[in-house]
Amino acid sequence: MPTSLSRFDADSDWWEKFGLRADASKPTGPYEHRLARAAHDVLRAHPPTAFASGDGAAPLSLEDVVALVDAAAAEAKREHESEWERDAEEQRRVGWEKIEDSLAGPDADDQISIGRWAGISRGEAIAWCWNLFQYEPHGFVHPGTEVRARALNSLRAGDIPEVFGYPERARELKERGVMPREYRRYREALGSKIAPVPLAPTGE
């Protein structure tokens, strides 16, 4: 028989057991605040004593439903982590492909003579871009998101973007004797997380 839920601590709202909040502080005006407060007070004064099971079986207690929610959340977390790992593996595969293509391209050894990438070969510059966009990411807060999207579209089009201090970072690593392939192997050995890079052009 479901346990009675009428005895709640004064500071504990029953819906908070589900990770939910009825926050009356968010409404912007006094009228909206009063409406939210009224709804909050009704919910607090009427905790459920049972929940329908959904299959015609005996009603469920709040604790039973909380356990079901926790189990569903755990499964969703496992699915998310599995999906993230598949995506990360695809990002790693594409990253290596782009690096090898850039270093083997017919213009890979052409030296860049102007701009912030000057003194670095075209193949290395493209390889460094893929490494740094994936392992030293920037541009996840506006307006950096727009800069990142435009730069990646430019990179896919065959240009070499000069953003986020990447030319200077590449030059620093090269002066220390680190080359693009070695850098990526080192990052993989460390188990570094790889940032998502859309594999198709994004809208600007």
Side-chain angles (χ1 to χ4, degrees):
M1 188 70 181
T3 303
S4 171
L5 302 175
S6 60
R7 299 186 299 277
F8 270 76
D9 190 79
D11 295 326
S12 175
D13 294 322
W14 62 265
W15 55 89
E16 290 183 357
K17 290 182 177 289
F18 297 104
L20 305 175
R21 292 185 59 83
D23 191 347
S25 66
K26 290 186 177 180
T28 56
Y31 175 66
E32 291 81 4
H33 180 87
R34 179 170 296 194
L35 290 179
R37 183 77 256 170
H40 179 278
D41 290 345
V42 169
L43 288 173
R44 169 171 270 199
H46 297 82
T49 58
F51 292 82
S53 65
D55 59 5
L60 303 174
S61 70
L62 176 60
E63 287 74 16
D64 293 332
V65 177
V66 169
L68 290 174
V69 170
D70 288 345
E75 178 61 24
K77 180 182 179 182
R78 286 192 293 271
E79 290 177 358
H80 173 76
E81 290 174 347
S82 178
E83 181 178 322
W84 185 91
E85 183 54 38
R86 288 194 299 272
D87 289 346
E89 183 57 37
E90 178 65 3
Q91 291 283 338
R92 285 190 286 269
R93 184 192 69 77
V94 171
W96 269 114
E97 182 180 281
K98 296 294 186 181
I99 286 173
E100 294 299 341
D101 287 348
S102 69
L103 295 175
D107 56 357
D109 294 330
D110 293 353
Q111 293 294 305
I112 300 173
S113 59
I114 59 174
R116 290 163 57 192
W117 287 101
I120 298 178
S121 72
R122 178 176 174 79
E124 285 182 8
I126 294 174
W128 278 121
C129 282
W130 279 94
N131 274 339
L132 298 174
F133 270 110
Q134 288 187 316
Y135 283 108
E136 297 187 25
H138 296 278
F140 293 106
V141 178
H142 184 78
T145 50
E146 295 180 8
V147 175
R148 181 177 175 84
R150 286 197 298 268
L152 284 169
N153 285 344
S154 174
L155 181 62
R156 293 188 196 92
D159 297 325
I160 305 173
E162 299 180 348
V163 295
F164 304 130
Y166 287 162
E168 293 74 25
R169 175 62 172 153
R171 186 170 288 104
E172 172 196 344
L173 289 164
K174 183 175 181 179
E175 289 173 354
R176 287 162 46 189
V178 180
M179 300 304 287
R181 291 188 183 96
E182 286 71 25
Y183 173 90
R184 181 162 286 250
R185 291 191 190 104
Y186 176 69
R187 284 292 194 167
E188 290 181 347
L190 286 179
S192 301
K193 285 191 174 182
I194 190 166
V197 170
L199 303 181
T202 58
E204 297 186 19

